[in-house]
Amino acid sequence: MATLQDLGKAIAGHPQKVQIMFLGFDLWVEVYASGRVRPSLFKKGGVPTSDEDPYKGAKVPLMVVGDNIVVSVDITLPPDGFRLAP
C-alpha cells in the first residue's frame, strides 16, 4: 500500500520534473488531508501564473503541492496507487 512517504520518494527520484500526479482515491484524500495542498493559478498552455500577471485570458485555479505539482484524482487507479507525469 503506497503512503505519502512513498509518493514523496517517487517524486524526488523521478528522472524528470514532475508536473502532475494522478492519485487513486484513498491516496488523493490523504494528500488533501496533509495540509500541503494549495490553490495555484494557471493560464493557457498550463503555465503557472499569478493575480498580478497582466494576462487577459482565463486564469484557472488548480490544486497543487510543492513546486506547482498539480494534484489529480484518477479513479481508474487502485485506491492507493499513483502515476507521475512530466
Side-chain angles (χ1 to χ4, degrees):
M1 178 164 196
T3 65
L4 289 178
Q5 290 80 17
D6 297 331
L7 180 59
K9 288 177 186 175
I11 291 170
H14 200 275
Q16 298 174 333
K17 182 181 178 205
V18 176
Q19 294 181 333
I20 186 167
M21 56 183 169
F22 299 94
L23 307 173
F25 187 79
D26 291 357
L27 189 55
W28 178 77
V29 169
E30 280 189 58
V31 168
Y32 266 74
S34 73
R36 298 182 182 267
V37 180
R38 62 180 169 76
S40 185
L41 294 174
F42 288 79
K43 60 185 176 181
K44 191 173 183 177
V47 178
T49 189
S50 68
D51 283 331
E52 294 78 32
D53 186 338
Y55 179 72
K56 300 289 186 214
K59 296 178 185 176
V60 179
L62 297 173
M63 299 308 283
V64 300
V65 295
D67 189 25
N68 286 327
I69 301 172
V70 175
V71 179
S72 179
V73 66
D74 183 344
I75 59 171
T76 65
L77 290 172
D80 65 334
F82 64 88
R83 184 170 55 88
L84 305 174

